[in-house]
Amino acid sequence: DAGVIQSPRHEVTEMGQEVTLRCKPISGHDYLFWYRQTMMRGLELLIYFNNNVPIDDSGMPEDRFSAKMPNASFSTLKIQPSEPRDSAVYFCASRRGQENEKLFFGSGTQLSVL
Amino acid sequence: AQKVTQAQTEISVVEKEDVTLDCVYETRDTTYYLFWYKQPPSGELVFLIRRNSFDEQNEISGRYSWNFQKSTSSFNFTITASQVVDSAVYFCALTSYGQNFVFGPGTRLSVLP
């Protein structure tokens, strides 16, 4: 079974540009999570979906961030316009079923906004 | 609110030493789940163990062992005879019904040859 697949692996962009991060969860997993990791704040949950529906987006920092899950096998996290403080590693994770199940993480996208 | 504390920011040991990583959690729920994840220098997050609140048995997996104590709200992780490949950031996490995963800040372990 393929794991959670994220693309791109690295993204370097200039301030003000739009950035789109992509995630393919593990087949059969009904929960999808987007996390951001920084040195200062550690691992922060941005948003999560259940059966393609956003359940909790309270972690999304501001309106510049948006996430979609058009189908069970694809999700995007978009930042428009990007700012240098958005530089971080963004992880996608998926899970099958309820809270006692472990999260499977993708390899992350290292985003640098110059 | 749920919270996970990993008081040790960084630990350095010499290869073959034993090392314990501390994890203290807070929750009001009676049913909850605790996890440990490893993040090696390559960056991915690797699942190590899951423990539910009703199972206080300690677990051993090779050189790894976990000590879960509800009385002190702790779920500590011990590596016996550490190796250089154990160098990583280790995260403790907590979740329960209707709650999101809450990760601790992580402990960076450096095992020196």
Side-chain angles (χ1 to χ4, degrees), chain B residues 38-55:
Chain B
K38 174 182 179 180
Q39 187 175 38
S42 52
E44 73 276 20
L45 282 146
V46 179
F47 166 81
L48 295 178
I49 191 172
R50 172 185 60 210
R51 173 67 69 212
N52 75 56
S53 53
F54 295 108
D55 182 2

Side-chain angles (χ1 to χ4, degrees), chain A residues 7-109:
Chain A
S7 64
R9 191 79 170 89
H10 301 275
E11 176 81 29
V12 180
T13 190
E14 293 189 348
M15 183 174 64
Q17 297 298 306
E18 177 178 295
V19 174
T20 299
L21 311 181
R22 297 173 176 78
C23 175
K24 177 179 169 56
I26 293 173
S27 177
H29 284 194
D30 52 350
Y31 285 82
L32 183 140
F33 302 78
W34 283 100
Y35 283 87
R36 177 171 68 176
Q37 185 179 30
T38 60
M39 288 294 292
M40 291 299 294
R41 301 172 72 91
L43 274 163
E44 301 175 274
L45 176 65
L46 300 177
I47 185 171
Y48 78 94
F49 296 83
N50 177 217
N51 291 323
N52 314 337
V53 176
I55 302 301
D56 183 355
D57 66 353
S58 59
M60 296 285 262
E62 46 199 275
D63 291 346
R64 297 184 298 106
F65 285 69
S66 62
K68 293 182 180 179
M69 192 165 185
N71 57 62
S73 58
F74 184 66
S75 177
T76 58
L77 177 68
K78 187 176 293 186
I79 308 173
Q80 166 64 16
S82 58
E83 296 183 3
R85 61 191 166 125
D86 301 330
S87 298
V89 180
Y90 291 81
F91 286 101
C92 176
S94 70
R95 178 184 89 198
R96 176 169 51 203
Q98 296 300 312
E99 292 72 18
N100 58 323
E101 295 297 326
K102 63 186 179 184
L103 294 179
F104 291 81
F105 282 84
S107 299
T109 295

